[in-house]
Amino acid sequence: MSGESQQSIRLLLSDMDGTLLLPDHSLSQRTIDAVRSLREAGVLFSLATGRPPRAMLQTIEALGVDLPTAAFNGGTLVHPDGSLLVAHYLPATAALTTLALFADQPEIDVWVFSSGDWLVKDSTGPMVPREQHGLGYPPVVVESFEPYLARIDKIVAASNNTALLVELEARLLEKVEGQAQVSRSQPVYLDVTAMQANKGEALRTLAEFLGVPLAQTAAMGDGGNDPAMFQVAGLSIAMGQAEEAVKRQANLVTASNAEDGAALAIEQYILKR
């Protein structure tokens, strides 16, 4: 965690689910207004999320985001016109190791994201309806993930057994060390992406692209994939409902996403600076 900067903030990079979005995945008017006020004050604003680019479009439009955004935890940075700024794919060896470990776990849904598609072997998995509601589109059912190994953006283990996901996270980290990033983007989701696919690298890349010193950047989030950008940003803000381990790595803690904590943080910690 960088020390809290007293410089004015010129760029805010924010997580979506659990941060900007309410628990039902909608945007409050207060959040929309807060982001508009940022833009009017000359503060650049963009998004960094574990979601695929396709599942960001509604939020991008609602907030008027006109900068590159980071999908797949930073594995893909996409310009507003849909062209790629950066793309990092999961190495095939790490993907095979991950899929082999997850295959032995009957309590998890296993999903692969590749070339814009959400791939599943079983569309009746218990976690599928939640993900479909969040993404806004259905999965593609495939017999095997192996034909997609060359261009995997992200593998996800999804389960309501959060203790199992914590255990799998530790086991997988040992197996793919130096090959892949493993983190829980939400308590019920364990994400596996390329080593360069983290929100910290996304913030570095975006700040360099925009010509903003890192000391004048802020990052806001709630999940286990967000401290990577907390470590890089000049100012870091955790959501009130985040796990204690996430909060400890941020400079500041705001209210929960159910209480418009993101809007509150923008109003109090960025616009007033």
Side-chain angles (χ1 to χ4, degrees):
M1 178 181 64
S2 59
E4 184 178 345
S5 169
Q6 293 305 310
Q7 298 190 56
S8 60
I9 298 300
R10 292 174 54 195
L11 167 65
L12 170 61
L13 187 60
S14 177
D15 173 51
M16 285 178 53
D17 297 284
T19 302
L20 286 175
L21 302 183
L22 293 167
D24 66 358
H25 301 292
S26 67
L27 278 167
S28 73
Q29 188 60 49
R30 183 178 179 183
T31 296
I32 294 171
D33 292 343
V35 172
R36 182 183 301 116
S37 294
L38 275 181
R39 294 159 58 85
E40 291 172 352
V43 179
L44 301 169
F45 176 83
S46 191
L47 305 169
T49 175
R51 291 183 180 217
R54 180 177 168 188
M56 301 171 68
L57 296 178
Q58 185 175 356
T59 303
I60 288 171
E61 181 178 355
L63 295 176
V65 180
D66 57 0
L67 302 177
T69 52
F72 298 123
N73 297 331
T76 301
L77 272 72
V78 186
H79 289 288
D81 65 1
S83 62
L84 291 177
L85 175 61
V86 172
H88 301 294
Y89 300 112
L90 185 66
T93 52
L96 286 170
T97 299
T98 300
L99 293 170
L101 177 63
F102 290 172
D104 295 331
Q105 305 297 327
E107 291 188 70
I108 65 174
D109 289 355
V110 181
W111 306 329
V112 168
F113 290 86
S114 175
S115 300
D117 288 324
W118 167 29
L119 309 174
V120 304
K121 290 185 179 179
D122 180 9
S123 62
T124 66
M127 301 296 289
V128 168
R130 171 187 173 131
E131 183 71 355
Q132 184 167 330
H133 174 70
L135 296 182
Y137 59 88
V140 175
V141 179
V142 298
E143 291 187 3
S144 170
F145 295 130
E146 291 200 11
Y148 305 92
L149 289 175
R151 289 176 62 92
I152 289 181
D153 296 294
K154 183 175 69 166
I155 298 175
V156 179
S159 176
N160 284 314
N161 187 341
T162 55
L164 174 60
L165 293 185
V166 171
E167 176 191 337
L168 289 174
E169 181 179 11
R171 290 172 59 188
L172 187 57
L173 278 168
E174 291 183 358
K175 292 177 178 290
V176 298
E177 184 177 3
Q179 301 179 62
Q181 295 274 350
V182 183
S183 65
R184 286 181 302 129
S185 57
Q186 296 184 45
V188 296
Y189 292 155
L190 179 61
D191 294 356
V192 185
T193 55
M195 280 299 295
Q196 306 96 320
N198 67 80
K199 294 185 181 183
E201 288 304 310
L203 179 54
R204 290 183 190 276
T205 300
L206 188 58
E208 182 178 0
F209 176 77
L210 297 170
V212 177
L214 286 172
Q216 292 183 290
T217 66
M220 182 165 57
D222 74 305
N225 56 351
D226 292 317
M229 61 178 174
F230 292 175
Q231 301 285 344
V232 174
L235 178 69
S236 53
I237 304 165
M239 300 300 293
Q241 84 284 357
E243 295 180 355
E244 289 303 317
V246 173
K247 292 179 184 179
R248 286 196 296 269
Q249 296 181 74
N251 299 128
L252 299 166
V253 177
T254 185
S256 73
N257 64 321
E259 302 168 301
D260 278 333
L264 180 66
I266 290 171
E267 294 160 2
Q268 292 192 345
Y269 304 138
I270 299 178
L271 289 176
K272 285 187 176 181
R273 292 173 78 86

